[in-house]
Amino acid sequence: MKQTLTDNTVLNKAPAEDQSSNIGKRESPWPIFDVFPKLKPQLAPVSLCDLPTAVQPLSALGDKAWVKRDDLTHKRYGGNKTRKFEFIAAEILAANKKHVVTLGGTGTNHGVATAMVCQQLGLKCTVITFNQPDSKFVQKNQSLMKSFGAKIINAGPVALAALRFYVNPRRLHKDYYFLPGGGAIPVATMAYVNAAFELKRQIEKQQCPEPAEIYLPVGSASTLAGLTLGCALAGLKSKVIGIRVLDAKMGPVETCTNAVVNTLMAQARDILLQDYPQALKELPKAILRSDFFAPGYGVLTPATTHAMEQAQALGLTLDQTYSGKAFDAYLQALKITGKPILYWATYNSILEATTLPPQTGH
Ligand SMILES: Cc1ncc(COP(=O)(O)O)c(C=O)c1O
């Protein structure tokens, strides 16, 4: 089925704010600029998402359970990747690029978001993939990437895919933009710094309590980096707890470690320091747990299946590679913490009903 943008999702640059009247004024989707206004012209995000995403109680799990609905960031394809694209798109368009190339597993959610946003922006998209265990999620994402007009090149093993991405002659072509896997570039981290300010605004409006802990899955790590840095900048005391779902290293390269999270936070802080040299003296401590990773990337376990079923019963659709593992960790934390805990839903929940192929095996 071909996806077309039937709604009015023409690109919006940052909406001009009407200073003369507050009547009918939409809340800014980027509360980070209320605190750091000098960043606005530099980052100039593109309005693609439906922000803020809701915070909701998960009452069936008790009075401490809350969820942040980033599964609904966009009308066509939600999730954390789409939120990042508001800031990534600004960089691509400013550089006048015409073709985006990115990297991911065969079932990459990031690839789907990239394809969807490229279609929306009128850009070409190529996704270079590496093999991951086949599942209904992989098949669904393959068909979504194609339906959003992306060309998929499967390079087989991860090392070959990385070679094809990093040593690609098209890097020399002026029209091509090479976006690292997961969209993990510094401005994408800023999208999640902004998301922490969004949560703070919701806490101030008493839409939810300040969570003692926030749980989310971690792959390329810019979501964790952004939320950790953002909570520190926003003065939230919440501990942001990342659940690692990706191999810590691929060959000699660190892919999902504390060092990676720290580097991403430092790069985002550098953007901030250009205009706000006093902004943050020390980086906050990143929390990355590895105890839900086994037996490997994208492999479904009985515990993940159970967590996904519990989430489904609450109306939350999760995937086996990322969000299911983090929800498993969240459910366990709820049993012991005794304080409000927020699950940050990062997996797109739109398009599920219409595009899932029949279940096979996994
Ligand atoms: C559903 C989902 N959650 C979480 C993540 C991890 O986000 P990040 O790459 O920013 O660590 C991903 C990455 O692909 C994802 O698809």
Side-chain angles (χ1 to χ4, degrees):
M1 186 182 64
K2 185 94 182 148
Q3 298 292 326
T4 48
L5 292 173
T6 48
D7 62 343
N8 194 17
T9 42
V10 183
L11 263 195
N12 301 315
K13 284 298 264 186
E17 279 164 29
D18 177 5
Q19 302 296 341
S20 60
S21 158
N22 277 339
I23 299 166
K25 186 175 161 187
R26 191 164 74 91
E27 198 170 53
S28 160
W30 305 300
I32 187 175
F33 301 138
D34 296 346
V35 182
F36 301 111
K38 289 185 207 158
L39 292 180
K40 192 171 184 179
Q42 186 189 346
L43 295 172
V46 176
S47 181
L48 298 168
C49 292
D50 288 335
L51 300 180
T53 57
V55 273
Q56 293 170 347
L58 291 172
S59 311
L61 298 177
D63 62 353
K64 307 283 184 261
W66 292 83
V67 61
K68 175 80 169 145
R69 299 297 306 268
D70 266 19
D71 53 315
L72 301 174
T73 49
H74 190 282
K75 286 186 186 58
R76 300 270 152 209
Y77 187 79
N80 63 330
K81 304 299 177 186
T82 312
R83 186 190 275 275
K84 292 183 195 183
F85 262 103
E86 294 207 309
F87 289 67
I88 297 171
E91 191 163 299
I92 295 171
L93 295 177
N96 200 22
K97 301 291 182 179
K98 307 278 186 278
H99 193 143
V100 178
V101 182
T102 196
L103 177 69
T106 39
T108 170
N109 297 321
H110 163 68
V112 179
T114 308
M116 190 270 296
V117 171
C118 282
Q119 188 184 66
Q120 188 169 352
L121 299 178
L123 303 170
K124 289 193 175 137
C125 175
T126 299
V127 185
I128 299 175
T129 59
F130 53 85
N131 293 334
Q132 72 178 82
D134 193 22
S135 69
K136 63 180 180 162
F137 294 100
V138 170
Q139 292 162 31
K140 183 190 77 172
N141 281 356
Q142 286 272 315
S143 61
L144 279 176
M145 283 186 276
K146 286 179 198 153
S147 68
F148 286 128
K151 179 176 173 192
I152 303 173
I153 300 174
N154 184 31
V158 65
L160 288 185
L163 260 183
R164 200 145 182 180
F165 179 79
Y166 287 104
V167 193
N168 192 311
R170 294 210 166 79
R171 282 179 175 268
L172 300 173
H173 194 293
K174 67 173 177 41
D175 288 347
Y176 280 77
Y177 183 93
F178 280 74
L179 177 63
I185 59 173
V187 294
T189 307
M190 292 307 277
Y192 268 91
V193 173
N194 179 61
F197 280 94
E198 181 180 301
L199 175 64
K200 185 181 185 195
R201 196 160 65 183
Q202 291 170 317
I203 294 166
E204 283 169 352
K205 289 183 177 173
Q206 301 188 338
Q207 292 173 4
C208 67
E210 179 170 348
E213 296 176 348
I214 298 172
Y215 279 80
L216 72 152
V218 185
S220 68
S222 59
T223 308
L224 174 62
L227 281 180
T228 307
L229 185 61
C231 283
L233 287 165
L236 293 177
K237 294 194 180 61
S238 316
K239 269 198 216 166
V240 186
I241 300 175
I243 303 302
R244 179 167 73 81
V245 304
L246 184 68
D247 296 84
K249 287 183 166 191
M250 291 193 184
V253 181
E254 294 204 21
T255 41
C256 192
T257 60
N258 277 74
V260 172
V261 184
N262 288 338
T263 302
L264 290 167
M265 282 200 284
Q267 288 170 339
R269 184 188 52 177
D270 285 348
I271 295 177
L272 194 63
L273 292 183
Q274 289 171 31
D275 288 311
Y276 296 93
Q278 306 301 326
L280 194 69
K281 293 272 178 275
E282 263 181 55
L283 287 179
K285 193 172 165 318
I287 306 174
L288 183 60
R289 280 175 55 178
S290 295
D291 44 339
F292 290 82
F293 174 63
Y297 180 72
V299 183
L300 187 59
T301 62
T304 313
T305 306
H306 181 64
M308 288 166 66
E309 283 167 359
Q310 276 197 263
Q312 196 67 57
L314 300 166
L316 277 180
T317 301
L318 306 184
D319 73 315
Q320 68 186 54
T321 306
Y322 292 92
S323 52
K325 287 184 173 176
F327 199 68
D328 187 11
Y330 171 79
L331 289 173
Q332 297 197 23
L334 268 182
K335 288 184 199 148
I336 51 174
T337 305
K339 292 185 180 153
I341 315 188
L342 183 77
Y343 176 70
W344 204 292
T346 53
Y347 178 61
N348 160 66
S349 68
I350 298 170
L351 293 168
E352 284 299 323
T354 49
T355 56
L356 267 180
Q359 302 230 359
T360 54
H362 295 268

